[in-house]
Amino acid sequence: MSIKGYKVFRSDWTCRGFQYEVGRTFEHNGDIEICKAGFHFCRKLPDCFNYYPFDINNKVAEVEAVGVVETKGNKSVTNKIRIVKELMWREVLEM
């Protein structure tokens, strides 16, 4: 089972020093924990901007958690994430 979500990245598709790429799946080895380990995302797009600045230089993507997921409040973490597609800022504003 997969869970759809959203994630914000820096302009170079990095987040916390990790390099991401649209269309690829990434897997975290080891335990996951909110705010500590794993790939973080939000299930609702507006929630992402509680954690990242609303900056048009940033990249925004629809993601899919395809592994183990833990959720606390409006933030989720998974051990396996797929970067589905980049969202243009026009789409972000419409959502």
Side-chain angles (χ1 to χ4, degrees):
M1 183 176 122
S2 66
I3 296 173
K4 179 180 173 178
Y6 302 91
K7 186 165 179 62
V8 178
F9 306 86
R10 299 181 121 193
S11 61
D12 61 357
W13 287 99
T14 61
C15 179
R16 299 179 59 111
F18 189 88
Q19 182 69 57
Y20 293 86
E21 185 180 329
V22 175
R24 290 196 49 207
T25 300
F26 300 92
E27 193 161 355
H28 172 80
N29 294 318
D31 295 334
I32 60 171
E33 186 178 348
I34 295 282
C35 296
K36 293 191 179 181
F39 301 113
H40 293 80
F41 67 100
C42 294
R43 294 182 189 208
K44 295 180 182 174
L45 180 59
D47 292 337
C48 291
F49 299 104
N50 293 323
Y51 305 101
Y52 300 93
F54 197 81
D55 180 345
I56 61 167
N57 293 311
N58 286 341
K59 303 291 187 182
V60 181
E62 178 183 313
V63 300
E64 215 172 40
V66 292
V68 176
V69 175
E70 290 182 12
T71 300
K72 184 175 183 183
N74 62 9
K75 193 177 208 180
S76 296
V77 63
T78 183
N79 66 327
K80 193 171 184 181
I81 194 166
R82 185 168 75 92
I83 313 305
V84 177
K85 68 176 183 174
E86 179 178 4
L87 298 175
M88 297 296 108
W89 276 99
R90 176 186 47 75
E91 295 174 275
V92 171
L93 293 171
E94 289 173 358
M95 294 173 100

